[in-house]
Amino acid sequence: MNMKFNIYNRFVLEIIRKEKRWIAFRIGEGVKVPESNLIIPQDLEESELINFIDDIYHEFAQPGKSIENLE
């Protein structure tokens, strides 16, 4: 399972489900860097991800901007 989210038009976050764990990467121009400070609970359902990410990154929010699922 592989999902990408546009975080308030600031950066793209890729989240991968691997061996019952969520692993997050920040995607940049030609780079994919682990987002090591983002720890996603293993029991979090895919449908709950966007709300969880919004809770973590809400400080990047601006009027008219939101987190968008790119998949």
Side-chain angles (χ1 to χ4, degrees):
M1 177 177 306
N2 183 1
M3 296 163 283
K4 291 184 182 176
F5 298 94
N6 179 341
I7 309 299
Y8 301 110
N9 288 336
R10 303 258 183 149
F11 60 93
V12 172
L13 195 65
E14 180 177 23
I15 299 180
I16 299 170
R17 182 77 171 184
K18 185 175 184 181
E19 298 175 9
K20 299 183 182 181
R21 290 185 6 199
W22 294 108
I23 303 169
F25 298 92
R26 191 180 285 222
I27 306 297
E29 293 185 34
V31 296
K32 182 176 175 177
V33 180
E35 188 76 351
S36 56
N37 61 344
L38 176 61
I39 299 171
I40 303 170
Q42 352 184 113
D43 62 343
L44 195 73
E45 297 292 328
E46 179 183 347
S47 62
E48 300 172 299
L49 273 174
I50 200 160
N51 289 331
F52 179 81
I53 294 168
D54 184 50
D55 287 344
I56 300 298
Y57 292 106
H58 67 272
E59 69 271 7
F60 290 111
Q62 296 177 340
K65 305 288 183 192
S66 63
I67 294 178
E68 299 176 57
N69 188 339
L70 299 176
E71 297 297 314

